[in-house]
């Protein structure tokens, strides 16, 4: 994606990303126009943020998926703003190039547009994030508009919205059939018209996602929405094989970190029990 340097200078930390220009929200629209695919991963801590930033990932989402991957909840519903703020702050502090997006958790924006704006302001002031994300299409349009009018970039999220999983009847694919596809398009258009700079399409058929991508001027970001979107977003613990057990159909695992860490822990335990660790090279004289 096109990049931009900081307008106020500063001393960047030495890294392969140090000479790269910051990704901005305007670059998302340019990427769509140029046919350049956008890449996104979730991140919840400084070390993964630094790694993904150096690798050139375009945006990092500090998702409420932290409820499952960091905080040990069964769903994203219990996650609070106060729990996500320190995670978002850590990621934002660690990135020199990637755009950092803060996920607004369930219960932090649903009441009205004023509540939504208050939450967005907290994330921007207290974390250093560059944008916020909230779920919902037509039902959230007034909240998105209010936040955007305050000068805060918003990423939308339609299709399957995890915060509404009980109302949707579980992890159910959205946008199926003529009625479902029409509602998906209405939701995506509502997000665009409200001023969002991009929209996540989650768990929808590829043909429906392709139609939405064609109809919108803002980029679409796929989470299980097929190859025709303008970019792809994955939860990093799924993507890297740190998650064990069943993973969603749309996830491709690019590493097997759970296996690697298990083997490392077993080797450490064996070395300690046998006396092989620590050896002389690990001692102070």
């Amino acid at each position: 994606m096109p990049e931009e340097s900081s307008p106020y200078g500063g001393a960047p930390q030495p890294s392969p990303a140090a000479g790269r220009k910051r990704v901005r929200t305007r670059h998302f629209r340019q990427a769509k126009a140029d046919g350049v695919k956008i890449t996104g991963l979730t991140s919840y801590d400084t070390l993964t943020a630094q790694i993904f930033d150096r690798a050139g990932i375009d945006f990092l989402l500090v998702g409420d998926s932290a409820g499952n991957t960091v905080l040990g909840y069964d769903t994203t519903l219990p996650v609070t703003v106060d729990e996500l703020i320190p995670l978002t702050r850590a990621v934002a502090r660690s990135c020199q190039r990637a755009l950092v997006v803060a996920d607004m958790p369930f219960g932090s924006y649903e009441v009205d547009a004023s509540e939504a704006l208050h939450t967005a302001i907290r994330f921007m002031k207290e974390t250093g994030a560059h944008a916020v994300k909230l779920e919902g299409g037509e039902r959230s349009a007034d909240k998105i508009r209010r936040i955007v009018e305050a000068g805060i970039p918003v990423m939308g999220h339609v299709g399957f919205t995890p915060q509404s999983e009980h109302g949707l009847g579980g992890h159910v694919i959205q946008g199926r059939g003529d009625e479902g596809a029409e509602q998906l398009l209405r939701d995506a258009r509502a997000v665009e018209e409200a001023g969002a700079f991009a929209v996540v399409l989650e768990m929808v058929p590829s043909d429906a996602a392709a139609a939405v991508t064609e109809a919108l001027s803002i980029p679409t970001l796929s989470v299980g929405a097929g190859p025709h979107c303008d970019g792809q977003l994955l939860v990093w613990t799924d993507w890297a094989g740190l998650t064990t057990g069943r993973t969603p159909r749309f996830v491709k695992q690019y590493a097997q970190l759970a296996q690697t860490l298990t083997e490392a822990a077993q080797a450490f335990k064996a070395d300690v029990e046998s006396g092989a660790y620590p050896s002389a090279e690990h001692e102070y004289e």
Side-chain angles (χ1 to χ4, degrees):
M1 293 178 65
E3 304 163 327
E4 178 183 296
S5 61
S6 170
Y8 302 118
Q13 300 175 9
S15 82
R20 300 179 183 178
K21 300 173 184 178
R22 173 72 70 184
V23 174
R24 303 290 185 179
T25 55
R26 63 185 175 84
H27 295 140
F28 280 65
R29 189 181 292 266
Q30 187 62 52
K32 181 182 179 80
D34 293 343
V36 176
K37 293 291 188 177
I38 301 163
T39 54
L41 289 171
T42 64
S43 179
Y44 319 101
D45 64 275
T46 186
L47 295 179
T48 58
Q50 288 173 350
I51 291 169
F52 302 156
D53 190 47
R54 288 195 299 266
I57 299 300
D58 296 314
F59 74 98
L60 298 182
L61 171 67
V62 187
D64 61 2
S65 50
N68 307 99
T69 62
V70 177
L71 301 171
Y73 300 136
D74 291 333
T75 72
T76 64
L77 296 180
V79 178
T80 67
V81 172
D82 287 338
E83 287 173 325
L84 284 185
I85 278 180
L87 305 183
T88 308
R89 186 184 297 130
V91 171
R93 284 174 173 170
S94 306
C95 291
Q96 298 173 25
R97 176 186 179 274
L99 185 103
V100 177
V101 182
D103 215 355
M104 292 171 56
F106 176 72
S108 70
Y109 61 91
E110 285 85 355
V111 173
D112 55 31
S114 294
E115 179 191 48
L117 177 58
H118 174 74
T119 300
I121 288 173
R122 279 201 66 190
F123 273 111
M124 299 300 284
K125 287 181 68 69
E126 298 180 35
T127 71
H130 310 119
V132 297
K133 182 179 79 63
L134 64 158
E135 297 181 2
E138 291 180 318
R139 65 182 170 87
S140 295
D142 60 328
K143 285 95 170 178
I144 294 171
R145 185 173 293 107
R146 181 70 176 276
I147 296 169
V148 171
E149 287 173 351
I152 300 172
V154 175
M155 178 179 286
H157 186 153
V158 301
F160 176 72
T161 47
Q163 294 172 11
S164 307
E165 67 169 284
H166 296 306
L168 295 173
H171 292 77
V172 179
I173 296 170
Q174 303 297 301
R176 280 180 164 164
D178 292 341
E179 183 177 346
E182 289 171 5
Q183 183 60 57
L184 180 70
L185 182 55
R186 286 196 298 270
D187 281 334
R189 280 179 167 157
V191 166
E192 178 180 43
E193 291 168 4
F197 71 91
V199 59
V200 172
L201 308 182
E202 181 165 357
M203 285 177 57
V204 300
S206 296
D207 57 352
V212 171
T213 300
E214 179 67 24
L216 265 56
S217 62
I218 62 173
T220 58
L221 305 169
S222 167
V223 178
H228 306 300
C229 292
D230 299 301
Q232 299 289 328
L233 167 66
L234 285 176
V235 172
W236 89 262
T237 50
D238 291 340
W239 160 87
L242 189 59
T243 303
T244 57
R246 184 181 179 186
T247 57
R249 173 187 174 90
F250 58 82
V251 172
K252 177 179 179 179
Q253 292 189 324
Y254 285 79
Q256 294 296 326
L257 293 192
Q259 179 179 344
T260 298
L261 291 176
T262 298
E263 292 172 355
Q266 290 171 339
F268 169 65
K269 175 180 171 62
D271 279 0
V272 170
E273 290 178 344
S274 69
Y277 176 84
S279 61
E281 63 184 301
H282 305 115
E283 297 180 56
Y284 294 106
E285 296 182 358

